[in-house]
């Protein structure tokens, strides 16, 4: 069986076009993944701020008060840790 060079060239051209298409699709996927990663890192901070605002403005005084108490406890703990003197053995 003999295969002409023209047939081989046609097949290689088809493979090259498919490879280029796959590279374009891969580049699009990489861009989308990078966008998702960037969005994911921002969601936590946005949710914290929005949750606090919703609790405050929706008259959820108990929940909002709980958040305030938690912040106060953390501030007091930090103050104690900063004010603590190192102990000698």
């Amino acid at each position: 069986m003999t295969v002409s060079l023209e047939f081989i060239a046609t097949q290689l051209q088809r493979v090259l076009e498919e490879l280029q298409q796959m590279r374009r699709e891969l580049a699009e996927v990489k861009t989308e993944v990078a966008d998702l990663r960037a969005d994911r890192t921002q969601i936590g901070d946005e949710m914290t701020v929005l949750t606090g605002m919703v609790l405050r403005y929706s008259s959820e005084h108990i929940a909002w008060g709980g958040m305030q108490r938690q912040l106060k406890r953390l501030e007091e703990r930090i103050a104690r840790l900063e004010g603590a003197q190192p102990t000698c053995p």
Side-chain angles (χ1 to χ4, degrees), residues 53-72:
M53 290 174 64
V54 167
L55 290 173
R56 185 171 49 185
Y57 293 126
S58 67
S59 300
E60 294 284 342
H61 299 293
I62 295 170
W64 177 248
M67 285 182 65
Q68 291 298 314
R69 281 191 301 278
Q70 184 178 9
L71 288 172
K72 180 112 174 108

Side-chain angles (χ1 to χ4, degrees), residues 8 10 14 18 22 24 32 35 42 45 48 56 86-88:
I8 293 173
T10 304
R14 183 181 59 81
E18 290 176 2
M22 282 190 250
R24 284 191 294 271
E32 290 176 9
D35 292 344
Q42 295 174 359
D45 293 338
T48 301
R56 185 171 49 185
T87 58
C88 296

Side-chain angles (χ1 to χ4, degrees), residues 29-41:
V29 169
K30 285 182 178 180
T31 302
E32 290 176 9
V33 168
D35 292 344
L36 288 172
R37 284 184 180 154
D39 290 344
R40 188 185 69 198
T41 59

